[in-house]
Each structure stands twice: as structure tokens, then as C-alpha cells.
Amino acid sequence: MTAAAVALDRKDLSKIKAWLPKYGVYLAIVLLVVYNIFFTPYFLTWSNLRIQLIQVAPIVIVALGMALVIGTEGIDLSVGSVMALAAALIPLYLGYGVVAAIVVSLLAGVAVGLINGVLVAKVGLQPIVATLALFVGGRGLAVVISGGQLKDIHDPNFIRLGSGDLFGIPILVWIAAALVLVVAFVVRRTVFGRRLLAIGGNRPATELAGLPVKRVLITVYVLCSVLASIAGLLSVARIQSSDASAVGLLIELSAITAVVVGGTPLTGGRVRVLGTVAGALLMQLVIATMIKHNLPPSTTEIAQAVIILIAVYVARERKSR
């Protein structure tokens, strides 16, 4: 092989390595969909697609908030507990109307986000340490509020949020899609979004430039918790019951996985909103495919771990260049 051919091969390889972090998740989805079309019975039926979209919607919503936090080089482990808090508060306030119950749940998310944001931005705690406290304590508080009991939801207006359709598409999916558009607009088209990315890219430089770093960080954690609250109340509306010990359990891991697989680096400075959605869809497809082919849960977990390792390695390779 000539030197020119070797140089060309290296150039092609570098192009592939540069392409994978941006578009690899989409290629993986296409390959998985093609596989399911040929080898999974009834995969293309609307009932199956509807189930997959409904199941992935709460993960997408939580992952959007997680992507914002990771964009600042942070992490939020409390999102599952925030969902549990929302789930615990919904039955208590539905008697005052659907709007009142939703507002109270969202305010709980704001409160948790403020605590996390203040601990990170003003106290100076590491994000993983600051949010770990509410990861543990938040769910405990939710269980106390609910009395440790599963409570059924009977309000038809509230249930419609999780079970109703609009133009043949679940309302839950419409809400998730709308939030994707909002978050994408915030990241790409607003001053706040540019400041968020600047903080993740180089926080000391943004502080020296006089940007309101602490205010932006607090706002990011509030937004993340509010999105988790929305996911929590929609999950309750979907299953028509509130179980604070189960709602949102370990969803923080699913959200982080979706963000990382979608191409957002854990080192901050970049947020790939559509990639995050694609990451959530990919992981949902992996799980659904293995379930439909009667593979044990342990195999699914191993596959998820392999996908995460590949995504982190690809991101590392890109950064090293």
C-alpha cells in the first residue's frame, strides 16, 4: 500500500470518527428499526408504536432537563425524587382542581431546583454531592407525604393528560414534543442558552467576563426540576395512580444515558437536544426489542451498559482530537 493510500485511509477514518458522535445514534436507530421490521412481529403496527412513544415520553422530558444541567458540566441525581414528590402531591390537591394540583407539583419542582442550584452555585458543592442529598431525602419526603400508600386517581380531566389523544396521537407525546421544541429554542436562540454553554465550556472565563454565572446555574437546576415534575405528573396521569416509592425510580440513570448516547459530552459546553431525544428513543428500542424476543432483563442491562461505554468512548475520542 502506498503512502498516499495510507494517508487517504487515515483521513477517511478521521472523518468517520468525527461523524460518529454527531450522527451515530441516528444510524443505530435506523439499523434497529430495520431489524425489527424484518424480525419482530407487529413492530410497525400503530398500537406498538403508540406504546413505545408513551413509554419514552417521560424519559425524554427528564432527559431534556438533564441535558441542560450536563451542558453546564453538572449532573442532577434528584430528578427521580422530584417525580416522586410530584406524584405524592397530585392526589392531595386534585380536590382543588386539576390546575391547582399541577401548579403545586410544579412549585415543588421549583423548590427542589432552587435548593440544588444554590448548593451548586453559591455554596460551591459539587453537583453530584449537592443533588445526592435530595436523591435520597426527596423520595423519603414523598413517601411521608403520601403516607406510604398507593393512591388511585379518578379525575377524568387529569387522567386525559396521560391517556387521552389529540388528532390520534397521545397528549403525553404532544407535550413531550412541545417541550423538545422549547428547550431547543432556549439552547440555540436565547442569550440564556449561550451563557449556559459558555459556563459549561469554561466557567472561570465566564466569571471573569462578568456573566451572571450563579444566576444561570440556579435557573438551569430549576428548569431541570420543573421538567422532572412535569414528567412525574404525566406518569401519574398515565398509570392513573400515585405511588411515591415507584414513580421515577432510577429514571436519572435513563436520562443521563439518553443525554450521553445522544452526543452531549459530560464535560459540558454543548447540548444536543435532538440527540438527547434520539438517545432516549434508541434505549427504548433496545429494551423493547429484547423484551419482544424474550431475552432476560440481565441481557438488556448488559446491552445498555455496552451502549453507554461506546458513547462515552466515542465522545472521549472526539475531545482528544
Side-chain angles (χ1 to χ4, degrees):
M1 183 178 291
T2 65
V6 171
L8 186 60
D9 288 342
R10 288 178 178 175
K11 185 178 180 180
D12 291 339
L13 184 60
S14 65
K15 286 182 179 180
I16 293 173
K17 287 183 176 180
W19 184 87
L20 279 176
K22 290 183 179 180
Y23 307 109
V25 64
Y26 305 108
L27 176 61
I29 289 175
V30 170
L31 293 176
L32 198 53
V33 167
V34 171
Y35 171 83
N36 279 287
I37 289 173
F38 286 102
F39 298 105
T40 303
Y42 310 110
F43 175 77
L44 284 182
T45 60
W46 171 240
S47 60
N48 176 62
L49 295 177
R50 187 178 188 277
I51 290 172
Q52 302 308 321
L53 289 174
I54 288 175
Q55 289 180 340
V56 80
I59 298 174
V60 168
I61 294 171
V62 175
L64 290 173
M66 189 68 72
L68 295 177
V69 173
I70 290 177
T72 65
E73 202 179 359
I75 202 80
D76 190 345
L77 299 180
S78 68
V79 288
S81 296
V82 174
M83 288 182 65
L85 279 172
L89 290 169
I90 284 292
L92 297 180
Y93 290 92
L94 266 180
Y96 300 97
V98 173
V99 174
I102 291 175
V103 168
V104 170
S105 296
L106 296 181
L107 288 177
V110 171
V112 173
L114 283 173
I115 294 172
N116 287 335
V118 168
L119 289 176
V120 172
K122 293 188 176 294
V123 178
L125 292 180
Q126 290 292 327
I128 193 171
V129 175
T131 59
L132 183 61
L134 283 168
F135 166 78
V136 178
R139 188 171 296 276
L141 177 60
V143 172
V144 170
I145 291 173
S146 65
Q149 298 178 346
L150 185 148
K151 298 183 179 180
D152 294 329
I153 305 296
H154 301 289
D155 190 302
N157 294 321
F158 182 74
I159 290 173
R160 189 167 183 270
L161 292 175
S163 305
D165 288 358
L166 182 63
F167 304 117
I169 298 175
I171 293 175
L172 179 65
V173 176
W174 282 111
I175 294 172
L179 290 172
V180 169
L181 294 176
V182 170
V183 172
F185 176 80
V186 168
V187 171
R188 293 175 177 270
R189 302 294 181 182
T190 66
V191 173
F192 173 79
R194 289 193 290 271
R195 288 174 174 174
L196 181 157
L197 298 179
I199 291 170
N202 194 331
R203 181 172 174 177
T206 56
E207 290 175 340
L208 290 174
L211 295 180
V213 173
K214 293 180 180 180
R215 187 168 72 231
V216 171
L217 284 174
I218 291 173
T219 304
V220 166
Y221 281 92
V222 169
L223 289 175
C224 183
S225 291
V226 168
L227 287 167
S229 293
I230 294 172
L233 62 90
L234 290 176
S235 296
V236 171
R238 180 172 68 88
I239 62 178
Q240 301 179 26
S241 64
S242 171
D243 184 359
S245 63
V247 172
L249 188 64
L250 298 181
I251 198 171
E252 53 278 339
L253 301 182
S254 299
I256 294 170
T257 299
V259 175
V260 173
V261 171
T264 297
L266 291 172
T267 51
R270 188 184 301 112
V271 174
R272 294 180 56 82
V273 177
L274 292 181
T276 296
V277 176
L281 288 172
L282 175 62
M283 302 311 294
Q284 176 63 31
L285 279 173
V286 169
I287 294 171
T289 300
M290 292 191 169
I291 290 174
K292 288 183 179 295
H293 288 272
N294 298 317
L295 293 174
S298 57
T299 305
T300 303
E301 292 167 358
I302 293 171
Q304 288 178 293
V306 171
I307 292 172
I308 294 170
L309 288 174
I310 292 173
V312 172
Y313 176 77
V314 170
R316 174 181 169 275
E317 285 290 299
R318 183 182 182 189
K319 184 180 179 184
S320 67
R321 294 191 300 274

